[in-house]
Amino acid sequence: MLCVVTGAAGFIGSHLVEALLRRGDTVRGIDSFVPYYSAEVKQRNQAAAARHPRYEFFPIDLRTDNLAEVIRDADVIFHLAAMPGLVASWTQMDLYVACNVTATQRLLEAVTRYRPRLHRLIYASTSSVYGLYASGDESLPTRPVSPYGVTKLAGEHLCQAYAEASRLPLTVLRYFSVYGPRQRPDMGYHRFIQAMLGDEEITITGDGKQVRGNTFVSDAVEATLRAVDAIPGETFNVGGGETASVWDIISRIEAILGKKARIRMGPARPGDQRYTGADTSKIRRHLGWEPKVGLDEGLKRQIDWQREARGLGSAAEA
Ligand code: NAD
């Protein structure tokens, strides 16, 4: 199949590209290296894929560039490009709107115009659409509390509106806290590990009792691949099943690294979710998907990757 991945140089997108190449697909990646984290990191993310003969990269911006050439003969489009997380705030709403709403709408316009008989469009959404307490199944009311959650939900609605009007075969995936190698540098586990490897203080925002339903990146990718053949029009939670508070994560990292964290308490971040824990019975039922990587194993793999990126050996050698 000819697959287009938007956000291909990002954390999850780069793993998805590699998984598609491994299973024999031809892949076109789109990314404009939006600078909320370094372009060098994103270049490294897709370094292996870039050498693959079935991979072609398009450094284009969904907000402004012509998308016809890239999507014209695509069988599947995975739309992962976004302005994610809480790195910016309500004061930078225009960035969230541009990358999560305008970019999505331009992609949908191009799809309906140039590729109306697409096999599948997959929209990467988030547990943040649920709001402070993302605990339950897909019927939980959506009450986002951050610019990210609000604009990602708007993206879902846009996809559904176009799918309805133009009969696009859409699947929406709501990922819950994805972690693992290449995790974005703004994300909590990345920051905690980075600080501990550098013998620096960890800043915990809020009381540290925030709970996350953690999903290892290869499990998120496997769910995304299976979604290609889901019944069109469905929305699925994608969550790894193991929930943990910030304090719990820090003790697990301490145990893996064999040293104590130095902690500093900071103010709570506006829009930070209190509890996320996915009910994934629907995706299990429909697609037979099960998360495979447990939290300790997943954290160890992320730590190994961060150690390697700093020129240190693996945790086993520490
Ligand atoms: P990421 O920032 O690493 O990747 C997103 C990529 O999209 C970036 O490389 C960025 O440069 C690119 N991009 C943004 N706007 C663009 C535009 N206008 N044109 C072209 N490229 C653009 O983020 P990620 O963590 O890999 O997230 C991927 C997707 O998964 C996002 O849609 C995000 O909302 C969703 N998601 C992620 C998580 C998580 O825990 N990481 C959780 C829930 C949902």
Side-chain angles (χ1 to χ4, degrees), residues 6-13 30-34 36-37 42 60-63 79-84 98-99 103 124-127 148 152 175-179 184 187:
T6 76
F11 163 39
I12 305 173
I30 294 178
D31 206 299
S32 63
F33 301 101
V34 178
Y36 51 85
Y37 69 94
K42 295 180 190 182
I60 59 177
D61 197 315
L62 296 172
R63 292 170 287 187
H79 180 35
L80 275 71
M83 173 67 200
C99 287
S125 189
T126 164
S127 64
Y148 170 58
K152 288 296 288 189
Y175 298 138
F176 281 60
S177 302
V178 184
Y179 73 104
R184 297 193 326 263
M187 294 185 77

Side-chain angles (χ1 to χ4, degrees), residues 5 7-8 10-23 25 78 80 122 124 173 175-176 178-182 215-228 238-240 283 287 289-293:
V5 177
F11 163 39
I12 305 173
S14 62
H15 284 282
L16 176 62
V17 166
E18 287 172 5
L20 290 166
L21 291 170
R22 271 198 301 275
R23 69 172 203 181
D25 293 319
F78 299 90
L80 275 71
I122 294 186
L173 299 177
Y175 298 138
F176 281 60
V178 184
Y179 73 104
R182 303 184 196 155
T215 317
F216 191 70
V217 64
S218 60
D219 286 328
V221 166
E222 176 60 26
T224 311
L225 297 178
R226 289 187 186 214
V228 170
V238 177
I283 192 166
L287 302 178
W289 173 84
E290 297 270 353
K292 293 205 171 76
V293 181

